[in-house]
Amino acid sequence: MTIANAKIRFNENGTPYATQFEDLYFSDNQGLDETNHVFVKHNKLLQRWENWQNQQFVIAETGFGTGLNVLVTMLHFDIFRQQSDNPTFRLHFISIEKFPISHEDLAKALSLYPELAPYSHALLEQYPIPVAGCHRLTFLGGKVILDLWLGDVHEVLPKMENKPQGLIDTWFLDGFAPSKNPEMWTQGLFEHMALLAKDQCHFATFTAAGHVKRGLREAGFDVQKQPGHGRKRDMLAGSIDKPADNLSRLPYFARKPATMNKTPKIAIIGGGLAAANCAYALSKRGLQATLYCQDNALAAGASGNAQGGFYPQLNAQAGHASQIHALSFNYASKLYQQLLNQGIHYSHQWCGTFQVAFNDKVAARYRKLVDNQTWPDALIHWIDAQQATNIAKVDLPYPGLFIPQGGWINLPELVAGLVKAADSTVVINQQLTSLARTNGPWQLNWQDGSQCDADIVIMATGSDSAAFQQMSPLPFRLVRGQVEAINSQNALANLSTVLCHKGYLTPAWQGSHAMGSTYVKDDTNRDYRLSEQQTNLTMHQQALEKCDWINDIQPTTSGRAAIRCSTPDHLPMVGAVPDTKIQSEQYHDLYKALPAKHYPPPINHTDLFMLCGLGSRGLSTAPLCAEILVSQILNEPLPLSSNLLDALNPNRFLIRGLIRRQG
Ligand SMILES: Cc1cc2nc3c(=O)[nH]c(=O)nc-3n(C[C@H](O)[C@H](O)[C@H](O)COP(=O)(O)OP(=O)(O)OC[C@H]3O[C@@H](n4cnc5c(N)ncnc54)[C@H](O)[C@@H]3O)c2cc1C
Ligand SMILES: C[S@@+](CC[C@H](N)C(=O)[O-])C[C@H]1O[C@@H](n2cnc3c(N)ncnc32)[C@H](O)[C@@H]1O
């Protein structure tokens, strides 16, 4: 969903000023000092980091604005960690913003602070397009995570995934002055701050307004007046004592972390996009995993295509699936760019993708998406036939939707790049036949009769996932697909963007174009078929019938077939592997819709996790899904709202069935 940008002007000192709120974003000439005084000093950040026992410190902020508070804190953290003897200590910053500043205004505002340049540069590189929801950005090689939530604090906070022991170690209660923005400074906000706080959570705010002081006290904070910054006489700071008793919103979807020791032995079963992304996400936390792959090379399953289209599936209504796709696509797009910046090579083209409005019905659907203004133009916008022809560099007499950040990627090279960046150990020709756990670690039984153990196991086994007893009750849907390799010649050779309709056609790479793909349900045969070549050809000729050049195309027989692992609702399964037998008993009376406290937390297979069901959009969804999974395993804040996480929970089908009394 689109979020409106802030309306800003800059005053004579270059300080940004919000015209809607008639207030400055930070003190004239003193923004940095004010952040240091109010938020760093009065939250006692440096002293608390010095004595911190956990692996991460979580700060949450109301009003991201220019990101000045985040960047100043990051500077302190960067200096601190270089002197610290705890190299895996991480800072997790959550910031919420209702009216994000445009990229251009942000660059201008931050240019006032050259001392923050390395961090500002990294922020500007990852700054998201204005789509509502959580955007996860990473800094300092993963040592700092910023979850930038776009939306109103009053809508975002209730959707944030809380934990039994709370989520936040420190609040930066920022925002325009309470008198200029009374809608934000409500009792509801203070109550939510308390709800999400961990025991001994601190807070600081620049204001000393009476109703803020009383409201925070009423919510449970101990509030002290402190000397304010500059001309402000007072400010407020304090902390909260809190028992660890947060109730889960929907207990059956509670997401449990792994039972971790400090250096867990982690096994990832799989050698495709899912496995490689999990390995990469773990490595950013300093954790190494071993990948076990049954084939004689990585990316020999669904992730074996030389050119996969990279684009999200967006609808006119921003339902759960569309929101997940939009946020995942943005995350993936930044992650792929970061890999390139690190010198990791994989063949690709960010050439955009064009969704062809190939008949009136499709055109009407696409127009609705544009007219509803569901998504920002930077993500997807309408282009007419002439613009389409100009972009595609082939005659294309159709209008449609253009996704400028899209393109194509070579999947095996991407998988290899992720594994290289993660510096993971890879064991090929190693097929897992079963796994079991009593009280100690998981015991993994291999096809050759050997065994090994692992503390944490991540199943990224694609279309073979149902072969394991623990996952066999889950409703995987297997769909065979064949993609063609088309000789690059004649007009087609000029194709310069990815064309999508019922299928897709890419620009050339090494003399051929990928033209995909077929969908054959419940067929797990991977042989190349001439009959499906004809299906692919006919599909493209019908959809692009107004293009003369489509009749010249010549498939070769070097196309490829593989098996997609999908799910009944076409969303991946991300999280703990549910013990379906026990959960069926735990929740047998869900249809009665008793109060949440009636239901216990779900029993899962301890320390067994999964990232499966990537279906036909793995390039878009795998990176964020892996990040979610690893965040869950490590008990970090999660980068999606609870309702979207529920939509990815592997036990959702069981739960839905029990609610409808069909489980
Ligand atoms: C024809 C076709 C076209 C597609 N086009 C696109 C596209 O244009 N864009 C897009 O985004 N997506 C596309 N996809 C989907 C995309 O390829 C998948 O979503 C993604 O590759 C799935 O990755 P994965 O790691 O889950 O599965 P896979 O790549 O299948 O990986 C599963 C891995 O698990 C390993 N494994 C399984 N069982 C065991 C075991 N017992 N022991 C050890 N290892 C095991 C396998 O060896 C394999 O390495 C397409 C898929 C197909 C088939
Ligand atoms: C003073 S600025 C914050 C300055 C910021 N912390 C910084 O470091 O630059 C206040 C911010 O709060 C945002 N804001 C105002 N009302 C909000 C709301 N209800 N929900 C989320 N953000 C809000 C404004 O758009 C603005 O960016």
Side-chain angles (χ1 to χ4, degrees), residues 269-275 292-295 299-303 305 307-310 411 430-432 446 460-464 468 481-483 504 517 560 562-564 611 614-620:
I269 314 300
L273 265 185
Y292 297 95
C293 172
Q294 68 186 0
D295 303 314
S303 309
N305 292 340
Q307 290 181 289
F310 174 50
L411 279 79
Q430 187 76 321
Q431 184 180 20
L432 186 72
W446 306 106
T461 34
S463 60
D464 291 313
F468 301 94
Q482 180 169 302
V483 63
Y504 61 87
S517 48
R560 181 175 185 277
I563 314 303
R564 305 175 187 90
L611 170 44
L614 291 174
S616 52
R617 288 275 75 81
L619 278 173
S620 294

Short mmCIF file of all heavy atoms in Angstrom, two decimals, residues 269-275 292-295 299-303 305 307-310 411 430-432 446 460-464 468 481-483 504 517 560 562-564 611 614-620, ligand 1:
data_model
loop_
_atom_site.label_atom_id
_atom_site.label_comp_id
_atom_site.label_asym_id
_atom_site.label_seq_id
_atom_site.Cartn_x
_atom_site.Cartn_y
_atom_site.Cartn_z
N ILE A 269 19.33 -28.35 5.28
CA ILE A 269 19.16 -29.43 4.31
C ILE A 269 18.59 -28.79 3.04
O ILE A 269 17.47 -28.29 3.04
CB ILE A 269 18.19 -30.53 4.82
CG1 ILE A 269 18.52 -30.91 6.27
CG2 ILE A 269 18.22 -31.74 3.90
CD1 ILE A 269 19.92 -31.45 6.51
N GLY A 270 19.39 -28.82 1.97
CA GLY A 270 18.95 -28.21 0.72
C GLY A 270 20.10 -27.48 0.06
O GLY A 270 21.07 -27.09 0.73
N GLY A 271 19.97 -27.29 -1.24
CA GLY A 271 21.04 -26.60 -1.96
C GLY A 271 20.49 -25.59 -2.94
O GLY A 271 21.14 -25.24 -3.92
N GLY A 272 19.26 -25.11 -2.69
CA GLY A 272 18.65 -24.14 -3.60
C GLY A 272 18.59 -22.75 -3.00
O GLY A 272 19.31 -22.43 -2.04
N LEU A 273 17.70 -21.94 -3.56
CA LEU A 273 17.56 -20.55 -3.11
C LEU A 273 17.23 -20.45 -1.62
O LEU A 273 17.76 -19.58 -0.92
CB LEU A 273 16.38 -19.90 -3.86
CG LEU A 273 16.64 -19.11 -5.11
CD1 LEU A 273 15.33 -18.47 -5.56
CD2 LEU A 273 17.69 -18.03 -4.86
N ALA A 274 16.35 -21.33 -1.15
CA ALA A 274 15.94 -21.27 0.26
C ALA A 274 17.14 -21.53 1.16
O ALA A 274 17.40 -20.77 2.10
CB ALA A 274 14.83 -22.29 0.52
N ALA A 275 17.87 -22.58 0.87
CA ALA A 275 19.02 -22.95 1.70
C ALA A 275 20.08 -21.86 1.67
O ALA A 275 20.62 -21.45 2.71
CB ALA A 275 19.60 -24.27 1.20
N TYR A 292 23.69 -29.31 3.34
CA TYR A 292 23.73 -30.68 2.83
C TYR A 292 22.79 -30.77 1.65
O TYR A 292 21.59 -30.48 1.78
CB TYR A 292 23.30 -31.67 3.91
CG TYR A 292 24.22 -31.68 5.11
CD1 TYR A 292 23.93 -30.90 6.24
CD2 TYR A 292 25.37 -32.46 5.13
CE1 TYR A 292 24.76 -30.90 7.34
CE2 TYR A 292 26.21 -32.46 6.24
CZ TYR A 292 25.90 -31.69 7.34
OH TYR A 292 26.73 -31.69 8.44
N CYS A 293 23.32 -31.19 0.51
CA CYS A 293 22.53 -31.19 -0.72
C CYS A 293 22.60 -32.58 -1.35
O CYS A 293 23.68 -33.13 -1.51
CB CYS A 293 23.10 -30.13 -1.66
SG CYS A 293 22.40 -30.15 -3.29
N GLN A 294 21.45 -33.12 -1.70
CA GLN A 294 21.43 -34.50 -2.22
C GLN A 294 21.98 -34.61 -3.64
O GLN A 294 22.37 -35.69 -4.08
CB GLN A 294 20.02 -35.06 -2.17
CG GLN A 294 19.06 -34.40 -3.14
CD GLN A 294 17.62 -34.87 -2.97
OE1 GLN A 294 17.34 -35.70 -2.13
NE2 GLN A 294 16.73 -34.33 -3.77
N ASP A 295 21.99 -33.51 -4.38
CA ASP A 295 22.44 -33.56 -5.77
C ASP A 295 23.96 -33.44 -5.85
O ASP A 295 24.62 -33.14 -4.85
CB ASP A 295 21.79 -32.42 -6.56
CG ASP A 295 20.28 -32.49 -6.47
OD1 ASP A 295 19.73 -33.60 -6.64
OD2 ASP A 295 19.65 -31.46 -6.19
N ALA A 299 21.88 -25.99 -6.48
CA ALA A 299 20.93 -25.43 -7.45
C ALA A 299 20.62 -26.38 -8.61
O ALA A 299 20.59 -25.97 -9.77
CB ALA A 299 21.43 -24.09 -7.98
N ALA A 300 20.41 -27.64 -8.29
CA ALA A 300 20.07 -28.59 -9.35
C ALA A 300 18.57 -28.88 -9.38
O ALA A 300 18.10 -29.61 -10.24
CB ALA A 300 20.85 -29.89 -9.14
N GLY A 301 17.81 -28.31 -8.44
CA GLY A 301 16.36 -28.51 -8.41
C GLY A 301 15.65 -27.34 -9.07
O GLY A 301 16.05 -26.89 -10.15
N ALA A 302 14.62 -26.81 -8.39
CA ALA A 302 13.87 -25.69 -8.98
C ALA A 302 14.76 -24.48 -9.20
O ALA A 302 14.52 -23.67 -10.10
CB ALA A 302 12.71 -25.33 -8.05
N SER A 303 15.81 -24.35 -8.39
CA SER A 303 16.69 -23.17 -8.50
C SER A 303 17.75 -23.32 -9.59
O SER A 303 18.78 -22.66 -9.54
CB SER A 303 17.38 -22.91 -7.16
OG SER A 303 16.46 -22.88 -6.11
N ASN A 305 17.38 -22.74 -12.96
CA ASN A 305 17.16 -22.04 -14.23
C ASN A 305 18.17 -20.91 -14.46
O ASN A 305 18.49 -20.16 -13.53
CB ASN A 305 15.74 -21.47 -14.29
CG ASN A 305 14.70 -22.58 -14.35
OD1 ASN A 305 15.03 -23.71 -14.72
ND2 ASN A 305 13.47 -22.28 -13.96
N GLN A 307 17.80 -18.21 -16.22
CA GLN A 307 17.22 -16.87 -16.17
C GLN A 307 15.83 -16.95 -15.52
O GLN A 307 14.89 -17.44 -16.13
CB GLN A 307 17.05 -16.29 -17.58
CG GLN A 307 18.36 -15.94 -18.26
CD GLN A 307 18.09 -15.36 -19.64
OE1 GLN A 307 17.67 -16.07 -20.54
NE2 GLN A 307 18.29 -14.07 -19.78
N GLY A 308 15.74 -16.48 -14.31
CA GLY A 308 14.43 -16.42 -13.64
C GLY A 308 13.96 -14.98 -13.63
O GLY A 308 14.76 -14.06 -13.40
N GLY A 309 12.68 -14.78 -13.87
CA GLY A 309 12.13 -13.42 -13.82
C GLY A 309 12.06 -12.96 -12.37
O GLY A 309 11.65 -13.72 -11.49
N PHE A 310 12.47 -11.71 -12.13
CA PHE A 310 12.47 -11.15 -10.77
C PHE A 310 11.41 -10.05 -10.71
O PHE A 310 11.63 -8.95 -11.21
CB PHE A 310 13.87 -10.61 -10.45
CG PHE A 310 13.95 -9.90 -9.13
CD1 PHE A 310 13.46 -10.48 -7.96
CD2 PHE A 310 14.53 -8.64 -9.04
CE1 PHE A 310 13.53 -9.81 -6.74
CE2 PHE A 310 14.61 -7.96 -7.83
CZ PHE A 310 14.10 -8.56 -6.68
N LEU A 411 19.81 -18.13 -11.52
CA LEU A 411 19.61 -18.68 -10.18
C LEU A 411 20.81 -19.47 -9.65
O LEU A 411 21.22 -19.27 -8.51
CB LEU A 411 18.33 -19.53 -10.12
CG LEU A 411 17.03 -18.74 -9.95
CD1 LEU A 411 16.58 -18.14 -11.25
CD2 LEU A 411 15.93 -19.61 -9.38
N GLN A 430 24.77 -35.72 -0.65
CA GLN A 430 24.46 -36.15 0.72
C GLN A 430 22.95 -36.06 0.92
O GLN A 430 22.40 -34.97 1.14
CB GLN A 430 25.22 -35.23 1.70
CG GLN A 430 25.15 -35.64 3.14
CD GLN A 430 26.07 -36.82 3.46
OE1 GLN A 430 26.21 -37.75 2.67
NE2 GLN A 430 26.70 -36.81 4.61
N GLN A 431 22.31 -37.21 0.82
CA GLN A 431 20.84 -37.21 0.91
C GLN A 431 20.39 -37.59 2.31
O GLN A 431 20.72 -38.67 2.81
CB GLN A 431 20.24 -38.19 -0.10
CG GLN A 431 18.72 -38.13 -0.08
CD GLN A 431 18.08 -39.08 -1.08
OE1 GLN A 431 18.71 -40.03 -1.53
NE2 GLN A 431 16.83 -38.82 -1.41
N LEU A 432 19.61 -36.72 2.91
CA LEU A 432 19.04 -37.02 4.23
C LEU A 432 17.86 -37.97 4.03
O LEU A 432 16.99 -37.71 3.19
CB LEU A 432 18.55 -35.72 4.87
CG LEU A 432 18.06 -35.83 6.30
CD1 LEU A 432 19.23 -36.05 7.26
CD2 LEU A 432 17.30 -34.57 6.72
N TRP A 446 21.81 -40.35 6.93
CA TRP A 446 22.06 -40.13 5.51
C TRP A 446 21.86 -41.39 4.70
O TRP A 446 21.95 -42.51 5.22
CB TRP A 446 23.49 -39.59 5.30
CG TRP A 446 23.76 -38.36 6.13
CD1 TRP A 446 24.52 -38.28 7.25
CD2 TRP A 446 23.23 -37.04 5.92
NE1 TRP A 446 24.52 -37.00 7.76
CE2 TRP A 446 23.73 -36.21 6.96
CE3 TRP A 446 22.39 -36.47 4.96
CZ2 TRP A 446 23.42 -34.86 7.05
CZ3 TRP A 446 22.08 -35.12 5.06
CH2 TRP A 446 22.59 -34.34 6.09
N ALA A 460 15.19 -26.98 3.91
CA ALA A 460 14.98 -26.13 2.73
C ALA A 460 14.97 -27.07 1.53
O ALA A 460 15.73 -26.94 0.59
CB ALA A 460 16.10 -25.09 2.63
N THR A 461 14.08 -28.05 1.62
CA THR A 461 14.14 -29.23 0.78
C THR A 461 13.19 -29.18 -0.42
O THR A 461 12.97 -30.21 -1.07
CB THR A 461 13.83 -30.47 1.65
OG1 THR A 461 12.87 -30.10 2.66
CG2 THR A 461 15.07 -30.96 2.35
N GLY A 462 12.60 -28.03 -0.70
CA GLY A 462 11.79 -27.85 -1.90
C GLY A 462 10.78 -28.96 -2.08
O GLY A 462 10.05 -29.34 -1.14
N SER A 463 10.75 -29.51 -3.30
CA SER A 463 9.69 -30.46 -3.65
C SER A 463 9.84 -31.81 -2.95
O SER A 463 8.97 -32.67 -3.08
CB SER A 463 9.65 -30.65 -5.16
OG SER A 463 10.90 -31.14 -5.60
N ASP A 464 10.95 -32.04 -2.23
CA ASP A 464 11.11 -33.31 -1.51
C ASP A 464 10.70 -33.20 -0.05
O ASP A 464 10.92 -34.14 0.73
CB ASP A 464 12.57 -33.78 -1.59
CG ASP A 464 12.94 -34.20 -3.00
OD1 ASP A 464 12.15 -34.95 -3.60
OD2 ASP A 464 13.98 -33.75 -3.50
N PHE A 468 9.84 -36.35 4.58
CA PHE A 468 10.26 -36.48 5.99
C PHE A 468 9.03 -36.60 6.88
O PHE A 468 8.07 -35.83 6.73
CB PHE A 468 11.12 -35.27 6.39
CG PHE A 468 12.33 -35.17 5.51
CD1 PHE A 468 12.31 -34.37 4.37
CD2 PHE A 468 13.45 -35.93 5.77
CE1 PHE A 468 13.40 -34.32 3.53
CE2 PHE A 468 14.54 -35.89 4.93
CZ PHE A 468 14.52 -35.09 3.80
N GLY A 481 7.27 -27.74 -13.88
CA GLY A 481 7.34 -26.61 -14.80
C GLY A 481 8.46 -26.79 -15.79
O GLY A 481 9.52 -27.33 -15.44
N GLN A 482 8.23 -26.40 -17.03
CA GLN A 482 9.29 -26.48 -18.05
C GLN A 482 9.51 -25.10 -18.63
O GLN A 482 8.56 -24.36 -18.91
CB GLN A 482 8.87 -27.45 -19.16
CG GLN A 482 9.92 -27.59 -20.26
CD GLN A 482 9.61 -28.74 -21.20
OE1 GLN A 482 9.49 -29.89 -20.76
NE2 GLN A 482 9.47 -28.44 -22.48
N VAL A 483 10.77 -24.75 -18.78
CA VAL A 483 11.12 -23.46 -19.36
C VAL A 483 11.98 -23.72 -20.60
O VAL A 483 12.79 -24.65 -20.63
CB VAL A 483 11.83 -22.57 -18.30
CG1 VAL A 483 13.14 -23.14 -17.83
CG2 VAL A 483 12.01 -21.16 -18.77
N TYR A 504 6.55 -15.95 -19.21
CA TYR A 504 7.52 -14.85 -19.27
C TYR A 504 8.58 -15.13 -20.32
O TYR A 504 8.86 -16.28 -20.67
CB TYR A 504 8.15 -14.59 -17.90
CG TYR A 504 8.92 -15.77 -17.33
CD1 TYR A 504 10.26 -15.98 -17.64
CD2 TYR A 504 8.30 -16.67 -16.48
CE1 TYR A 504 10.96 -17.06 -17.12
CE2 TYR A 504 8.98 -17.76 -15.96
CZ TYR A 504 10.31 -17.95 -16.28
OH TYR A 504 11.00 -19.02 -15.77
N SER A 517 6.44 -20.52 -18.54
CA SER A 517 6.75 -21.89 -18.23
C SER A 517 5.44 -22.63 -18.03
O SER A 517 4.39 -22.01 -17.85
CB SER A 517 7.63 -21.99 -16.97
OG SER A 517 7.10 -21.22 -15.94
N ARG A 560 14.51 -26.84 -19.85
CA ARG A 560 14.73 -27.53 -18.59
C ARG A 560 13.41 -27.68 -17.83
O ARG A 560 12.60 -26.75 -17.82
CB ARG A 560 15.72 -26.69 -17.78
CG ARG A 560 16.10 -27.24 -16.46
CD ARG A 560 17.17 -26.39 -15.80
NE ARG A 560 17.57 -27.05 -14.58
CZ ARG A 560 16.92 -26.93 -13.44
NH1 ARG A 560 15.87 -26.16 -13.36
NH2 ARG A 560 17.33 -27.60 -12.37
N ALA A 562 11.64 -28.76 -13.99
CA ALA A 562 11.91 -28.94 -12.55
C ALA A 562 10.57 -28.90 -11.81
O ALA A 562 9.53 -28.62 -12.41
CB ALA A 562 12.85 -27.85 -12.04
N ILE A 563 10.65 -29.15 -10.50
CA ILE A 563 9.41 -29.25 -9.72
C ILE A 563 9.34 -28.10 -8.72
O ILE A 563 10.23 -27.93 -7.89
CB ILE A 563 9.34 -30.58 -8.94
CG1 ILE A 563 9.73 -31.76 -9.85
CG2 ILE A 563 7.94 -30.78 -8.34
CD1 ILE A 563 8.91 -31.90 -11.11
N ARG A 564 8.27 -27.33 -8.82
CA ARG A 564 8.04 -26.27 -7.83
C ARG A 564 7.39 -26.90 -6.60
O ARG A 564 6.56 -27.80 -6.74
CB ARG A 564 7.07 -25.21 -8.36
CG ARG A 564 7.47 -24.57 -9.67
CD ARG A 564 6.34 -23.64 -10.12
NE ARG A 564 6.57 -23.10 -11.45
CZ ARG A 564 6.16 -23.66 -12.58
NH1 ARG A 564 5.49 -24.81 -12.55
NH2 ARG A 564 6.40 -23.09 -13.75
N LEU A 611 11.96 -23.60 5.60
CA LEU A 611 11.65 -22.57 4.60
C LEU A 611 11.37 -23.33 3.31
O LEU A 611 12.28 -23.74 2.59
CB LEU A 611 12.82 -21.59 4.43
CG LEU A 611 12.72 -20.60 3.25
CD1 LEU A 611 11.35 -19.98 3.12
CD2 LEU A 611 13.76 -19.51 3.38
N LEU A 614 8.26 -22.15 -1.77
CA LEU A 614 8.53 -20.87 -2.45
C LEU A 614 7.79 -20.76 -3.79
O LEU A 614 7.77 -19.69 -4.40
CB LEU A 614 10.04 -20.68 -2.66
CG LEU A 614 10.86 -20.45 -1.39
CD1 LEU A 614 12.35 -20.44 -1.68
CD2 LEU A 614 10.45 -19.15 -0.70
N GLY A 615 7.20 -21.86 -4.24
CA GLY A 615 6.33 -21.82 -5.41
C GLY A 615 7.03 -21.27 -6.63
O GLY A 615 8.18 -21.63 -6.92
N SER A 616 6.37 -20.35 -7.33
CA SER A 616 6.94 -19.86 -8.58
C SER A 616 7.53 -18.46 -8.46
O SER A 616 7.79 -17.80 -9.45
CB SER A 616 5.88 -19.89 -9.68
OG SER A 616 4.73 -19.24 -9.24
N ARG A 617 7.73 -17.97 -7.22
CA ARG A 617 8.27 -16.61 -7.05
C ARG A 617 9.43 -16.59 -6.06
O ARG A 617 9.62 -15.62 -5.33
CB ARG A 617 7.17 -15.66 -6.54
CG ARG A 617 6.10 -15.27 -7.52
CD ARG A 617 6.49 -14.08 -8.40
NE ARG A 617 7.45 -14.44 -9.42
CZ ARG A 617 7.14 -15.02 -10.57
NH1 ARG A 617 5.92 -15.28 -10.88
NH2 ARG A 617 8.06 -15.32 -11.45
N GLY A 618 10.23 -17.64 -6.03
CA GLY A 618 11.29 -17.74 -5.02
C GLY A 618 12.29 -16.59 -5.07
O GLY A 618 12.81 -16.18 -4.03
N LEU A 619 12.56 -16.06 -6.25
CA LEU A 619 13.55 -14.98 -6.33
C LEU A 619 13.10 -13.77 -5.53
O LEU A 619 13.91 -13.05 -4.96
CB LEU A 619 13.77 -14.57 -7.79
CG LEU A 619 14.74 -15.42 -8.59
CD1 LEU A 619 14.73 -15.00 -10.06
CD2 LEU A 619 16.16 -15.34 -8.03
N SER A 620 11.78 -13.53 -5.50
CA SER A 620 11.27 -12.38 -4.75
C SER A 620 11.15 -12.68 -3.26
O SER A 620 11.44 -11.82 -2.44
CB SER A 620 9.88 -11.97 -5.26
OG SER A 620 9.96 -11.51 -6.56
C1 LIG B 1 10.10 -23.99 -14.58
C2 LIG B 1 10.24 -23.07 -13.45
C3 LIG B 1 10.29 -21.71 -13.69
C4 LIG B 1 10.42 -20.81 -12.62
N1 LIG B 1 10.50 -19.48 -12.89
C5 LIG B 1 10.68 -18.61 -11.87
C6 LIG B 1 10.82 -17.23 -12.12
O1 LIG B 1 10.80 -16.78 -13.26
N2 LIG B 1 10.99 -16.40 -11.06
C7 LIG B 1 11.03 -16.86 -9.77
O2 LIG B 1 11.19 -16.06 -8.84
N3 LIG B 1 10.89 -18.17 -9.52
C8 LIG B 1 10.72 -19.05 -10.53
N4 LIG B 1 10.57 -20.38 -10.27
C9 LIG B 1 10.49 -20.79 -8.88
C10 LIG B 1 11.83 -20.84 -8.18
O3 LIG B 1 12.73 -21.49 -9.02
C11 LIG B 1 11.64 -21.54 -6.84
O4 LIG B 1 10.72 -20.80 -6.06
C12 LIG B 1 12.93 -21.68 -6.05
O5 LIG B 1 13.99 -22.04 -6.87
C13 LIG B 1 12.74 -22.71 -4.95
O6 LIG B 1 13.93 -22.83 -4.22
P1 LIG B 1 14.07 -23.94 -3.09
O7 LIG B 1 15.43 -23.80 -2.53
O8 LIG B 1 12.91 -23.89 -2.19
O9 LIG B 1 13.91 -25.33 -3.88
P2 LIG B 1 14.98 -26.10 -4.77
O10 LIG B 1 15.76 -25.20 -5.60
O11 LIG B 1 14.23 -27.18 -5.46
O12 LIG B 1 15.97 -26.71 -3.71
C14 LIG B 1 15.67 -27.83 -2.93
C15 LIG B 1 17.00 -28.40 -2.53
O13 LIG B 1 16.79 -29.38 -1.54
C16 LIG B 1 17.69 -30.44 -1.78
N5 LIG B 1 17.13 -31.62 -1.11
C17 LIG B 1 15.85 -32.07 -1.16
N6 LIG B 1 15.73 -33.17 -0.41
C18 LIG B 1 16.94 -33.42 0.13
C19 LIG B 1 17.45 -34.43 0.98
N7 LIG B 1 16.67 -35.42 1.41
N8 LIG B 1 18.74 -34.38 1.36
C20 LIG B 1 19.55 -33.39 0.92
N9 LIG B 1 19.12 -32.42 0.08
C21 LIG B 1 17.84 -32.44 -0.31
C22 LIG B 1 17.73 -30.55 -3.28
O14 LIG B 1 18.89 -31.21 -3.69
C23 LIG B 1 17.74 -29.08 -3.67
O15 LIG B 1 19.06 -28.61 -3.68
C24 LIG B 1 10.47 -21.30 -11.30
C25 LIG B 1 10.43 -22.67 -11.06
C26 LIG B 1 10.33 -23.55 -12.12
C27 LIG B 1 10.31 -25.02 -11.83
#
